[in-house]
Amino acid sequence: MPGLSGAERTTTVVIGAGLPGLAIATELRRRGVDSITVSGLEAPGGQASQTAPLQRCDAAGGSSLQERNEILRQLRNYASSHHLDIRNGTAAVQLDRMGAGTADAPLHRWAVHTPDGVLLADHIVLTRCAHSQLRRMLTDLGISVGQNLVAAMRAIGMYLVGVGELITPTPREVLRQAKVVGQAISAKVYPDSVPSVLTGSFATLQAPA
């Protein structure tokens, strides 16, 4: 693919810099997995595409909103203190699947095009996407999707955090999803020895079992 000689390389690109994006970026950092987080996914003309916001199920109650804001505050503090690569002013405008890998690069490789350049990654995490939009996007990429959307996406190195069928999950459900996805990506990055020492502590943020 032309134009990739100066591309940046990372393990994971997180698309969406809201609470779900910060949650998964934090989980990946704690597990020793590098990532770059961009603000969202937009059409080349600047209009929001697959990351159009959905109705929030935590928006009505004052206590839920307060909890969400507190979690978001702690995630932002973690991102700042641990120098996470969060690019709020940069959006992805195109995703290209580059194949299933080779002996030298066994994982799936993705090219995430942004106005500032191309990001190459083995994994992509999407946030705040409707399932119908995801199915259309996968179809556009030439990927056949059956009933199990999540399994089809994971098979090609794509993951979801903060995504529900009709409404965005609650903050604690987002944290649970981020933990599950963080574990899944970490297990692929470190198949023989997943790091046991995590960086930082989020005891107050853990979702109930």
Side-chain angles (χ1 to χ4, degrees):
M1 184 175 297
L4 299 184
S5 58
E8 291 184 76
R9 297 178 183 272
T10 186
T11 301
T12 304
V13 170
V14 179
I15 299 179
L19 190 152
L22 292 177
I24 183 57
T26 294
E27 279 294 333
L28 293 174
R29 174 65 177 83
R30 295 174 67 228
R31 297 177 182 280
V33 178
D34 64 298
S35 68
I36 295 174
T37 301
V38 297
S39 61
L41 180 61
E42 296 182 354
Q47 296 181 340
S49 180
Q50 281 81 5
T51 53
L54 306 176
Q55 176 188 354
R56 280 216 313 270
C57 57
D58 62 311
S63 59
S64 295
L65 183 60
Q66 182 178 2
E67 178 188 46
R68 178 182 181 276
N69 289 339
E70 175 59 20
I71 291 173
L72 188 57
R73 182 188 67 80
Q74 293 192 43
L75 289 172
R76 285 171 174 166
N77 287 341
Y78 185 96
S80 176
S81 63
H82 290 81
H83 307 290
L84 301 190
D85 194 341
I86 310 294
R87 305 183 185 184
N88 289 301
T90 300
V93 296
Q94 181 180 333
L95 305 180
D96 284 326
R97 188 183 178 202
M98 299 179 64
T102 64
D104 295 328
L107 295 178
H108 298 284
R109 183 73 67 177
W110 290 88
V112 180
H113 299 260
T114 79
D116 301 321
V118 179
L119 306 175
L120 298 181
D122 298 315
H123 310 278
I124 292 177
V125 181
L126 297 171
T127 68
R128 301 296 294 273
C129 305
H131 281 201
S132 59
Q133 294 170 321
L134 290 171
R135 290 182 181 276
R136 286 197 300 270
M137 182 175 66
L138 293 176
T139 299
D140 290 342
L141 290 169
I143 299 166
S144 177
V145 180
Q147 290 187 338
N148 196 331
L149 175 65
V150 173
M153 294 184 69
R154 287 199 174 196
I156 58 171
M158 298 181 76
Y159 300 82
L160 301 175
V161 173
V163 177
E165 286 283 1
L166 299 175
I167 55 178
T168 301
T170 63
R172 289 187 176 273
E173 171 60 18
V174 169
L175 294 176
R176 187 196 68 80
Q177 291 179 9
K179 186 172 183 178
V180 170
V181 170
Q183 289 174 334
I185 293 177
S186 179
K188 288 190 175 182
V189 175
Y190 305 106
D192 299 323
S193 178
V194 177
S196 59
V197 179
L198 302 183
T199 304
S201 175
F202 275 91
T204 61
L205 302 186
Q206 298 302 323

